[in-house]
Each structure stands twice: as C-alpha cells, then as structure tokens.
Amino acid sequence: MTPDAPDSAEARRSTWDDGVSATHLLARPDLSVDHLLLPPGSGLKTHSHHRSRQYFHVLQGEATFMLGPRTLTVAAGAGLEVPPRLRHLVRNDSTEDVQVMLSSAPRPSGPPRSVKQRPLQREGIVLGSYFRRTRPGDLTTIVSIEEDVDTRQWIGQGGLAWHTQILSDRDMEHWVLVDRLDRIVAFGILAGVSSAGHVELRRMVVAPEGRGQGLGRVLLRHLLEHARARPSVSRVWLDVGVDNLRARNLYRGFGFTEKPAPPWASLLENGYYLEWNAEEH
C-alpha cells in the first residue's frame, strides 16, 4: 500500500524558540519531517538530541548554522546533516523569511529544548568572536547584564521596554557578541546610523563575569568596523563619565580623542565627548 502524502494544510503547527513556526508534516517514531519558518532575527537556540540524526534543507532564504565551534551559512537549495549529540543552532540573520525542511530519524522526543544561559564562569567562556544582531529573545539576558551592581552606575536609560524599542528603531542598531555556545558575553548599541557624517556609540557593556579577558576590545573593534563600513560615516563619537577610567583608557587605546562637544551632542552628566575619525584608521 502506498502511504498518503503529508497534507500541510491539515498538519499540526507549533511555535519553537524565538518565534520559529513549525509545521509537523510527518511524526512517526522512526522519522519526523517538519517545515520551519524563521522570520528575520529568529532562530532555534543551542541544543542537541541524544539519538536523533537530522538533516536541514534550506528552501528559501539564507540560514546561519552553528555546529559545535563552526559557523556556516547555507543558502536555498542546499542543506547539512547534524549527527546525534552535537550541539547546534539555526537562525535567520537576514532581513527576509527563511524556510527550512527538517528531517529527523528517529523523531526527537518533543520540540528542541534550548540550553538556558547560565551565569558565565571565567574559565567557561568559549570565545568564537561571533558578532550578530540582537534578537528579542536576547533582551532578558542583556537587561540582567546591564543591572549588575558594577554596571548600573554608568548606565542612563535601560530596561526591557527601552531595549525593545531600540530593536524597532531604524536609526539604531543593537548588536551582541556571543561565544561558541551562543551565550551573550557583551552587547553594544549604535545610534544615528541613518544619518550621514557621524554615528554615535550609544552603549557598550561586557558581562561582569567576562571582564578582564579582552572582550571589550573585541566588541569595540567589531562596532567600529561595522560603522566604518558605511561610506557616509566619517566619525564615531561617544560620551563617557569622567570617573569611568577603564572605559576611557579602552577608547583612547583605539584612537578616540577628547574634543569639545558639538551643539547637537547630548552628553551624560559629567561626561566627556570622545571622537574617532574613520578616515584616519
């Protein structure tokens, strides 16, 4: 007897990590087939399966995969295999929807369970220097990093609502630095990205347990390279508290210089205006 072809219109649907929609086309114990829709900025967080071997085939768009320490980009028409017990994730870092067909043998027991972000231990950070756009699911971790007692004193506005608004603001960009396990180790915000001439480095914070390991330099280098890639940007500016000596030394080491603040620059109380000339670096 020939088995019936799966009917996507009648298939069960569910929502997985960060807004990924799954249509379950086949759900036998020995084999499952799921159609995944990943809106921009969404993704399945780091997870693994004890017994299941999986094959991801990209139908539309371009998906980013992390397989253990490796990061791969897979375009429509191609796919990759994930063996059992390998920690992996898939996400959509593009601005268009991504569709993926996922086959698993045998069927995993339930939807992918993401690995919760645990407090970072200095000896436990596995740096991959992966710099990506912030996703809505990252914001809870970002707020907890920001509210650390040693960080809060340097922060002006903040909180979940504030960061959520930034994600939808076309004049601002929110970025995170993650390690190979996709744990957030630092984040930064650029403002004024739609204007010509200058970009503001609005915020840059390293997770408390990750300090003293050069993560601030890694994050700042990524942010400056990203800002400089825009042909209309000639300088990056920021303001830093007069008492924040660690941050001031970091910025000076990258070539930021103190200058009189322009009339349009809004500074923190007792803040220094620092400027980085993109044409000189």
Side-chain angles (χ1 to χ4, degrees):
M1 181 178 66
T2 302
D4 294 333
D7 186 348
S8 60
E10 299 179 358
R12 184 175 63 88
R13 291 172 169 80
S14 63
T15 300
W16 292 352
D17 292 335
D18 279 356
V20 175
S21 299
T23 301
H24 309 291
L25 301 175
L26 188 65
R28 297 202 316 256
D30 63 325
L31 176 66
S32 65
V33 179
D34 302 296
H35 178 270
L36 307 182
L37 174 62
L38 290 76
S42 67
L44 301 179
K45 295 185 178 179
T46 305
H47 67 283
S48 63
H49 300 284
H50 181 65
R51 298 177 56 237
S52 297
R53 181 175 297 273
Q54 297 186 308
Y55 181 76
F56 293 82
H57 188 82
V58 180
L59 303 174
Q60 174 186 311
E62 188 176 79
T64 299
F65 291 84
M66 290 184 69
L67 306 179
R70 296 186 300 156
T71 300
L72 304 170
T73 300
V74 179
L80 55 79
E81 180 183 355
V82 179
R85 295 180 294 279
L86 177 64
R87 294 169 62 87
H88 62 281
L89 63 80
V90 56
R91 59 174 175 257
N92 179 6
D93 291 335
S94 72
T95 58
E96 305 292 336
D97 286 346
V98 169
Q99 296 187 46
V100 176
M101 194 68 74
L102 169 60
S103 302
S104 307
R107 182 182 67 181
S109 56
R113 299 298 180 184
S114 60
V115 179
K116 293 184 179 179
Q117 177 154 328
R118 297 174 298 223
L120 296 175
Q121 301 298 322
R122 288 180 181 250
E123 66 274 13
I125 295 178
V126 185
L127 263 184
S129 298
Y130 183 75
F131 184 65
R132 65 165 172 81
R133 288 286 195 124
T134 303
R135 301 192 293 259
D138 298 326
L139 295 185
T140 300
T141 299
I142 285 171
V143 172
S144 67
I145 291 173
E146 198 172 65
E147 291 180 346
D148 176 76
V149 63
D150 291 330
T151 302
R152 187 68 239 174
Q153 61 180 315
W154 312 115
I155 300 295
Q157 290 179 295
L160 186 60
W162 186 77
H163 285 280
T164 300
Q165 182 179 2
I166 287 178
L167 290 186
S168 61
D169 190 334
R170 294 185 177 181
D171 197 41
M172 304 182 77
E173 293 182 352
H174 208 304
W175 297 88
V176 290
L177 185 71
V178 299
D179 69 3
R180 290 177 180 172
L181 303 182
D182 203 46
R183 295 179 300 181
I184 299 170
V185 296
F187 73 90
I189 300 171
L190 297 174
V193 297
S194 62
S195 303
H198 57 81
V199 167
E200 177 191 0
L201 178 53
R202 178 67 58 87
R203 184 158 301 172
M204 201 182 82
V205 179
V206 175
E209 295 82 1
R211 292 172 188 159
Q213 302 179 63
L215 298 183
R217 297 182 61 83
V218 174
L219 175 62
L220 181 55
R221 184 179 300 109
H222 278 297
L223 290 169
L224 292 178
E225 288 177 353
H226 181 74
R228 183 170 55 180
R230 297 174 177 272
S232 61
V233 172
S234 60
R235 64 178 181 264
V236 179
W237 72 276
L238 58 87
D239 68 308
V240 58
V242 62
D243 297 328
N244 195 348
L245 298 179
R246 178 188 298 173
R248 287 169 59 191
N249 290 335
L250 172 64
Y251 298 136
R252 286 170 176 165
F254 271 77
F256 279 86
T257 57
E258 296 178 13
K259 295 185 178 181
W264 43 260
S266 177
L267 306 184
L268 295 172
E269 185 177 357
N270 296 324
Y272 276 138
Y273 175 88
L274 302 181
E275 188 173 286
W276 183 82
N277 190 323
E279 297 175 354
E280 296 177 356
H281 296 87

